[in-house]
Amino acid sequence: MLVGGHDEFSRVARINVPDCSGLTVNHYVYTRQSIMGFTENYFASDTITYQQAVMDMEQFSVAGYPGGEKSLAPSTVHRWVRTLSGLLHTTQTALNLIGQEDPATRAYRDLAQLKIATGKFKRPSRKKQLLGCLRLIAVEAFFKATFTLSVFTNLAIRCAFT
């Protein structure tokens, strides 16, 4: 779950099945800035892969990794895309607020032109997730420009992260 604000963070935990020997519990803390940064990087090019998105930003510290470990599994970005795409109510509410504040906004036109490269998905359901995530990223940029706030500061909380 994403929580906004500069001092707030998201906790991601992997919980193991009891009685499974050899497995450890991984618990990492990710900031909103890390999550959005790596996810935005994935959408920076039609050909960039999850692994490239992680490697391109490897010089940035990932909050929450123990012992200064900086590598991030590419599957983590994949999961973040799925999670962010589920924030449909947050995205729509933010878009409505932008439209009320600035009726001449380009947000609606820009969102209508968003496309996902065919190499980024195999199934229509994944294309829908990618498009939903990309819409949230675009709306977040318009929201910041309009209100000088992130949608995660208060709006996502009020929308119950839906």
Side-chain angles (χ1 to χ4, degrees):
M1 190 180 292
L2 294 175
V3 179
H6 297 289
D7 297 325
E8 298 173 18
F9 52 87
S10 171
R11 293 190 184 273
V12 177
R14 293 184 183 153
I15 300 170
N16 296 317
V17 178
D19 300 328
C20 290
S21 62
L23 296 177
T24 60
V25 174
N26 296 324
H27 178 79
Y28 300 113
V29 178
Y30 301 103
T31 64
R32 171 185 49 87
Q33 292 85 355
S34 294
I35 293 169
M36 294 302 286
F38 282 100
T39 305
E40 287 173 20
N41 194 39
Y42 174 68
F43 287 105
S45 165
D46 286 348
T47 58
I48 198 166
T49 64
Y50 291 114
Q51 184 166 357
Q52 290 168 330
V54 170
M55 290 172 55
D56 287 351
M57 293 188 62
E58 197 172 60
Q59 73 273 15
F60 298 108
S61 175
V62 178
Y65 271 85
E69 180 184 330
K70 289 169 50 173
S71 63
L72 184 71
S75 62
T76 302
V77 178
H78 185 276
R79 288 189 302 273
W80 287 343
V81 167
R82 183 182 58 230
T83 300
L84 292 172
S85 72
L87 301 179
L88 298 172
H89 182 63
T90 300
T91 303
Q92 189 59 49
T93 302
L95 190 57
N96 290 343
L97 291 171
I98 293 165
Q100 289 172 17
E101 184 68 19
D102 181 11
T105 185
R106 293 183 38 96
Y108 298 103
R109 288 185 295 274
D110 288 0
L111 289 175
Q113 296 175 10
L114 292 179
K115 300 217 183 316
I116 303 298
T118 55
K120 291 212 180 237
F121 64 92
K122 291 182 182 175
R123 292 184 207 95
S125 60
R126 185 62 181 171
K127 179 182 179 182
K128 184 177 177 180
Q129 286 178 343
L130 292 166
L131 195 54
C133 181
L134 189 55
R135 282 184 184 133
L136 176 65
I137 290 170
V139 168
E140 164 78 346
F142 278 105
F143 198 85
K144 279 183 178 177
T146 305
F147 299 107
T148 63
L149 285 172
S150 168
V151 296
F152 299 107
T153 304
N154 291 313
L155 183 62
I157 296 168
R158 287 191 191 124
C159 292
F161 294 97
T162 59

